[in-house]
Amino acid sequence: MRRTRSCRVAGLIAACATTGAGAVPPAKVALTGGRIVPVAGPEIEKGTILIEHGKITAVGASVELPFDAMEVDVSGKVLFPGLVNAHDWQGLDIPNENLDIGAALDVYDAIDPSRLFFENSLRDGVTTVHIIQANNCVIGGISRVVRPIGLDVDEMTVKPRAGVKMSASPKGGYDRMAQWAILREAFAELADYRERLAEQRYEEEQKKLKKDVDVGPAEARKRGAELIRPQDYDDAHANLHELSQGRLDAWVYVGAATDVGPAVKFAKDNGFFERVVFVLGPDTFKAADELKAAGRPVVLDVNLDFRERDPLTGKLKETFVPKVIADAGLTFALLPHPDASLAERYLTYQAARCIREGVARETALAAVTINPAKMLGLGDALGSLEVGKAGNVVVYSDDPLDFNTWVEQVYIDGILAYDRAKDVRIRRLMEEPGAEEKPKAPAGDSAVSDPAQKEDKPGAGEGATDPAKPENKEESQPDSPAPPTPSPEPGDDGASVERASDRADRAESRRRKDNSKSKGGPDA
Amino acid sequence: MTLHCRRNKPRRRRGLRGLLAVTLLAAGTAPVAGQGDADKALAIKAAVVHLGDGRTVEGGVIVMRGGRIAAVGSGVEIPADATVIDITGASVTPGLIDANVAVDSYDLMPTPTLSLGHAPPPGVAAASEVEIEGGDEGGHGSAGDHTHAHVHSADPATVTAGVGFGYLSADAHVEAGYDHSSCLMCGGALVHDELTSAAGVRVGLSQTEHAAEVIPHTRALDAIDLNAPDFSRLLSQGVTTVYVGGDPGAVISSRGAILRTGGDVASRVVKPESAVRGVMGSDSYRVGAGNRLPFRGPASMYTRRPTTRMGVAWVFRKAFYDAQRWADGVGIHGADAPPEEAMPYLIGVLKGEIPLRIQARMQHDIETALRLSDELGLSFTLEEGTQAYECLDALKDRGVPVVFGPIYEQAPGRRGWSGEAAGARLHTFKALLDAGIETALSAQELRDEDGLARQAMYARRFGAELDDVVRSVTATPAKLLGIEGDTGTIEAGKRADVIVWSGAPFAATSRPVVVVVGGRVQVDRRPG
């Protein structure tokens, strides 16, 4: 954790650099003057959020600031809790392993911090991601809740061992009979294993006491049952055992309405019903009544519109799923679409669609913030702007559900993790000078021109790792060597970023001139 | 279908080619058939009326009668007999016009179900038609005509095949009811419509015309099923008029058609033969079955030129020089000579009687188009124009209008893997507007949830002003299509094609609630 702390230090230095407040990293950040949409509780028209040591310590219209708090003026902006992505495999190298029972696995080993996914998450205002295997499985591995910043998984981790992935719908190549046979067998085998383990433990204990095993196997198993210690379980069974004892969450994919009943029964039979979250397929909403009776939270499919053709009449019917789910009174979370070419990749857009289809605004907002936080068991720590929660704040240019709104800044645990003014990639995509709206703060230019910042290189010597620069490994381009997200490293890095990109810009504009000169072409 | 065939035949007379003349005739002689209540007035009250030409009216009233707009303004009196549509906070725009749409005649459109890693839905429809309440039942294709396109797999295991790596769509295949396991092109791994979706009539391999590389004598209209569910989908997204170009599998492709998406099928064809489409870049030799190089032998019936951009430019250039020779009565030689039946149309393009459009994405393809047009004295409309931001001055100097789009953050489908979208920039549309280039916005084959409205939404996000965006999907495309006298703006005398939005147009939280085509409510999403 020491390492994480030094990251925070580095991050705060960067925060200073952007506001020019100086080199010493304040442990206290105050975002003042913005409209606050806390999700929990009423909106505050013009208020302040104070983050101290990574946690929110005050939210309100008038907050008395400590003398050493770094004040960031966000007048005219909207402050919103960091979005929570309830269920995504994209931080992994591949979505599913080729195993039926993968409960011994942990996504810890497969999360790749350099994935563009994390950078995009940050850019889209997502501060918490539940990395979990995809739905094409029988029993998958252990999932993990991470922040999209950090160079390695430990640094990113918010909550390890978030849950076990399972699917009540057939994995590719299986039908439902096979799927359920394997699922049942996994837990039957767990029971067998426990018996054997109990017998073995009894024998071990007897041996330790230098006594003979004087009872039959059945009795030995009974007596050995309480002798089993957690560490006695092997990897293959430990997590399933935890699950069956209700000590681990289960995220169960129910890909079709028909799978809901069996999934509920299975969860009840095997002791994890109280800890199950159902991950719905596109038409699972048809079992809204069953889901309502179960009363467990649900994660909706990425496609919110379900289209179905009547097999007899050929008539096509379109159902907006969140409306059905919201009307049933279920607690639900929305997911961003994995296809980055779609606007549905923005969680805020998914929520906006709910509103235009008649879902209440509070419900839609909760579905991308507090609901997923609660599902992950982090309802006390994330998902709204309340005192005591993590300092995960997104600074939007306007209402988060307006599609014209941009994420201006993202604070994660009080660290300035993203700053659009320094987002080299966005700037490059919107590069025509004068054609785009001007970056709010010409941070790059000031970073270059401010000699004081060139002098100060705090943190450079202490080996501070850079929590928001994980993406550069695979994505670096020859003409934009800068990290795609603004580096929270001290000013000198920012300066070099800008210089490089300025160079690229100059080259680009030169090239454009040449091109327009030679538009006739030599061969015309 | 017989209906519109009959209607279209007389139009083949050359004399009527003047764009406006034909259009007005078509509009004037195309009553909204079967309209018993045509004389009954329809009135819409809205908080904001976007007229389409960049102006807005606050608290406006629109009165429509007989399929036409009778009056619009803030103090317009509502006739006593009028049906009134009054939705709180609503805004109104003209019906949207997509000047470069690719129609999905076979209903191949997958739902945006391309869940990477999320197991695809069991038995999800790949359909693109929506149920439209209160609409004109007679005018809409009954989806029953298209049952072939939908075999719903009840077994998700079938659908899930290959999901581990999650490339679009084994599921889209199954859903579309095609047996792609035996498909030579994709071997069950690629999507047909991906191959042909770049522009034009998106119909799968069988309707990419392989007869020749120069086929302006063919008509896109003949490949279009006016009952295709895609038209209903377009309509439900607020698109009331479309231009469908020839498919981009040929260097000089078919002539496009201007169509309405709603109303009686008989009245849907606004203009059966519009512009000729030229195709720069790789589409002409990659779309469809693709052209083949001679392999270990001479060119034969199995080989086909061009296979490079040089070849594309050559075929394009030669076609027009040959047409000139043909007109001059001089003999034509060479393997790439256009078919004789294409000649009158090429001459028509040379004379400026038939409009020309050229699809080009990359900067050098746009520049090739400009070189060729300079050389041959052609004027054209640029289609797609992904990298047009690199050619602003050149386009401006020549007065080349652009039907730009789609806008995307990451190139979907074919554009992505063809590499032609690599230079896409988010500000391009705004840059075109800022440069004073006449620019319409198009979604082409992208329907998503919102289609053209989503394109407008993107355009707004990437810096364009609302009024400019409204114009680029209404008045500007109408002008580029030569139908501005009939539609594209809300003003007295124009066709009553109007959308009522639940809030601001092109906002994420609003959508078309009511779509009126020719004075009749065709889509009605009002509750109750």
Side-chain angles (χ1 to χ4, degrees), chain B residues 12 14 216-217 255 273 341-349 354:
Chain B
R12 298 210 49 158
R14 295 275 143 69
H217 48 290
R255 308 188 58 188
E273 297 176 354
E341 51 271 34
M343 297 304 183
Y345 297 90
L346 294 171
I347 293 293
V349 172
I354 300 176

Side-chain angles (χ1 to χ4, degrees), chain A residues 26 62 98 135 161 167 267 271 292 295 336 377 415 423 427 442 445 483 514:
Chain A
S62 59
N98 194 15
N135 303 325
R161 296 178 58 74
S167 174
K292 193 178 174 184
I415 304 169
D423 188 336
R427 279 184 41 200
D445 299 338
D514 293 345

Side-chain angles (χ1 to χ4, degrees), chain B residues 342-387:
Chain B
M343 297 304 183
Y345 297 90
L346 294 171
I347 293 293
V349 172
L350 279 172
K351 285 184 179 165
E353 290 163 359
I354 300 176
L356 174 68
R357 285 170 162 236
I358 299 182
Q359 175 191 300
R361 299 194 182 100
M362 301 179 82
Q363 183 185 2
H364 64 284
D365 292 332
I366 297 173
E367 283 171 356
T368 305
L370 292 169
R371 274 200 300 274
L372 287 168
S373 65
D374 286 352
E375 178 186 334
L376 297 161
L378 303 168
S379 60
F380 70 98
T381 302
L382 178 66
E383 289 180 343
E384 190 143 351
T386 308
Q387 263 183 303

